[in-house]
Amino acid sequence: MVLSAPSGGGKTTIRDQLLRHDRRFRFSVTCTTRAARPGEVHGRDYYFVTPGAFERLRKAGKLLEWARVHGNLYGTPVSSVAGVLRKGLIPVMTIDVAGARSVKEIFPEAVTVFLLPPGLKTLVRRLRKRREPAANIRIRLETAKKEIKEASFFEYLVINDKLDEAVRDIREIADIECMKISRKQAEIKRFGRELLEFKI
Ligand code: ADP
Ligand code: 5GP
């Protein structure tokens, strides 16, 4: 489950609620060269790495995708996603729009969701609430102009107005996606095998 949004769109908030309320989901931790913000924990929020270590991971093919966002490098370790999938859980990836495109190319079975606040005023208010300096807000809104042009690439749009409703929407998307025939091949094969072996 790939969640993307302009900065301030609510990726982190929605992800935290989703993980709290639905045990099917597990966050696939990504790595970044940016400094940890107060309260962020290495291994929980991000793997905070040096630019050198990031480069080594990238060259060794250990990143599923990577991108430069607002001057810092970010990348999804293959091991993070594989570890969650191995447990039979749904990896939740909160990555930028370019990253979402890369993941979808590599993993066509990924589900891509674009989050938007109900309006621009709300987005700006939420960015201010996060105490972003004015310069940061300006940069993030400039980036948002490019990101919004990519919205039609995503399969689902969720409006992040009321938090609990946005979280419910994402859980419903997972419910529907899990029922798709393309994700049910193992069950169908098992039923077919039982039918072949069945004797009245
Ligand atoms: P992102 O991770 O996409 O940059 P955040 O999750 O940090 O966005 O959200 C930006 C700000 O908006 C945070 O201060 C968060 O508390 C607030 N926020 C997010 N979703 C909602 C919501 N549905 N209602 C009210 N405030 C919200
Ligand atoms: P922040 O620094 O605010 O935590 O994140 C900045 C942006 O980078 C957000 O849009 C976030 O979703 C994105 N991001 C975080 N990790 C990754 C990643 O591994 N790959 C990509 N492409 N983007 C990421």
Side-chain angles (χ1 to χ4, degrees), residues 151-171:
S152 54
F153 152 79
F154 288 81
E155 293 151 293
Y156 294 93
L157 175 72
V158 168
I159 301 295
N160 177 19
D161 186 359
K162 301 247 181 336
L163 184 58
D164 53 347
E165 288 175 13
V167 172
R168 191 200 56 206
D169 286 350
I170 290 168
R171 296 178 68 186

Side-chain angles (χ1 to χ4, degrees), residues 91-134:
V92 181
M93 310 171 74
T94 46
I95 60 178
D96 83 322
V97 168
R101 288 192 90 114
S102 308
V103 169
K104 187 73 187 173
E105 271 167 33
I106 300 164
F107 273 131
E109 64 272 43
V111 178
T112 54
V113 179
F114 196 65
L115 305 169
L116 273 184
L120 182 59
K121 272 191 188 155
T122 310
L123 176 63
V124 175
R125 185 162 29 84
R126 287 181 185 168
L127 282 169
R128 289 201 176 119
K129 186 176 118 193
R130 210 167 61 175
R131 297 178 192 280
E132 295 275 3

